[in-house]
Amino acid sequence: MSALHDLSATELVAAYARRELSPVEVAQAVLAHIDHWEPHLGATWAMDPDGALAMARASEARWRRGEPAGSVDGVPTMLKENIATQGVPVPLGTAAIELVPAAADAPPAARLREAGAVFLGKTTMPDYGMLSSGLSSFHRLARNPWDLRLNPGGSSSGAGAGAAAGYGPLHLGTDIGGSVRLPASWCGIFTLKPSLGRIPIYPPYAGRVAGPMTRSVEDAALMMGVLSQPDDRDATRLPHDPTIAWTDLDRLDLKGLRLGLQLDAGWGMRVDPEVRDAVVAAARRFEAEGAIVEPLAPFMTREMADGMDRFWRMRSWLDISALPMARQQKVLPYIRQWVASGARLSAAEVFHGHSQMAAMRDAAVASTQRFDFVLSPTAPNVAFPAEWASPINDPERPFEHIAFTLPYNMSEQPAASINGGFTAAGLPIGLQIAGHRHDDLGVLRLARAWEQLRGPQRAWPQPPG
């Protein structure tokens, strides 16, 4: 058997049912593994070993009675720190926030707790989740386990790094422009940004979703069965559909499937040649299995990107400028520089910027309609220096790397990132798979098909020494 920290959630649950493993011994093993990694990785916050072991003991008792609470009972789980859990403060990655214990679990945390997940602690994020980086004014610098000199991405920084490093099989992140998919791409894991409303979340707002971050499609599907349960606190939630068989992943016929291949997003960073080659190679593998692959032209424009940038600068400037000056000064300097121009924007500029989110939605839906799914790079690049706030580290051009991920937040379509290969230097390359809105299961099934065509992953990184 593999080391306990390397076992998948599905393997663990099966072993618990056979009484071959105990949730307590698994939690102890994963916590010990985190202790070895964490001085190098900086992926966690608010670790709670005592609380985790208490949850594991309760799970062990349920398994002994043959009465598991749910499909992830006893599975070690980590949550991004902006997903509230009762009694734990929510710093939002920034030293500017006053630390007040959360009054209640957010919907995704509540569903996981009800299903018996063992909460080990929280994972880190950058200030306000506004960076695709592990850089934060509150948390330690998070690093990429494949190369500690490099960045794990963000804003679900610790979740991406922790999943790749074996901090338990189940991680939960959030995404409003690529924040689960970008760290998944750069850390070589799997994630699903679901359709808006598929996973209830609070507070909800345009484009914001929670998503599973795991080493395998199968584990993410297991999480989706839990996370998609209803919660009335989310006014944007989709109607709960109990007929969706989330773990029934092997029922997609690739023959005749219409796949769009997008290699140019229309704006942003140039796609690295190794990234492009990996995505093209994946498309050719699907084509060899009978899929019909056709190019998809860019559907986004620089006007859309810049408009959204102006809107978010204003929104963030309003939030930060409302803080007392002493707390404003604690915000990461890169973020302060980015939002500063928000003070000079006119109402017309902000309104036009907001309207570009709808323009993205309309363009994405219209352009992808004729395909069953769309393949693209998740990010145009691979992991960048750990100390940088973004791949080009320029607050005046903060979003050049999210051109492939952003439109699917605005269009509310599901989009996954799965490892598509490695560079010559051994860095992961993300393949993005996007589908029609509400077809989250279809995206999972195509990702599972790629997982099988791709073959086994190379060995996961291990802690130094």
Side-chain angles (χ1 to χ4, degrees), residues 63-76:
W63 280 107
R64 283 178 177 170
R65 296 194 305 268
E67 299 174 350
S71 60
V72 297
D73 201 339
V75 179

Side-chain angles (χ1 to χ4, degrees), residues 157-374:
S157 316
Y167 285 25
L170 302 184
H171 291 256
L172 185 66
T174 61
D175 190 312
I176 195 172
S179 288
V180 295
R181 287 161 291 161
L182 294 168
S185 175
W186 295 326
C187 293
I189 64 167
F190 177 75
T191 191
L192 173 69
K193 180 212 77 68
S195 301
L196 184 74
R198 177 68 71 197
I199 295 176
I201 194 168
Y202 187 84
Y205 50 82
R208 185 181 190 230
V209 299
M213 302 178 71
T214 61
R215 287 180 169 184
S216 70
V217 179
E218 193 174 35
D219 276 1
L222 189 69
M223 287 186 81
M224 286 300 297
V226 175
L227 297 169
S228 61
Q229 297 296 312
D231 193 302
D232 290 342
R233 288 175 287 176
D234 184 353
T236 70
R237 69 193 182 283
L238 295 176
H240 177 59
D241 184 353
T243 67
I244 297 177
W246 290 107
T247 57
D248 188 3
L249 298 175
D250 296 321
R251 294 185 58 188
L252 186 66
D253 185 359
L254 298 180
K255 190 172 183 179
L257 205 65
R258 297 165 300 159
L259 303 180
L261 175 61
Q262 187 176 46
L263 299 170
D264 179 359
W267 65 282
M269 293 172 63
R270 174 179 168 269
V271 177
D272 289 351
E274 286 184 290
V275 173
R276 180 187 179 94
D277 290 348
V279 174
V280 170
R284 298 298 164 245
R285 290 291 299 276
F286 281 121
E287 204 168 38
E289 297 297 317
I292 300 166
V293 178
E294 297 178 0
L296 172 60
F299 54 78
M300 281 193 65
T301 65
R302 171 57 65 179
E303 182 182 13
M304 293 175 187
D306 288 349
M308 183 217 62
D309 184 2
R310 286 190 292 271
F311 171 76
W312 281 103
R313 285 183 198 238
M314 170 60 83
R315 186 187 188 281
S316 298
W317 177 78
L318 289 172
D319 289 343
I320 293 171
S321 64
L323 299 173
M325 183 56 67
R327 286 169 56 197
Q328 290 184 40
Q329 294 303 313
K330 293 181 179 181
V331 176
L332 200 69
Y334 180 102
I335 296 289
R336 296 205 311 269
Q337 184 176 343
W338 171 63
V339 304
S341 63
R344 302 187 296 274
L345 292 172
S346 68
E349 288 174 311
V350 174
F351 178 83
H352 178 74
H354 184 270
S355 71
Q356 294 309 299
M357 294 194 289
M360 283 185 226
R361 177 196 63 212
D362 294 347
V365 170
S367 298
T368 61
Q369 196 66 34
R370 64 190 176 96
F371 299 108
D372 296 306
F373 302 97
V374 171

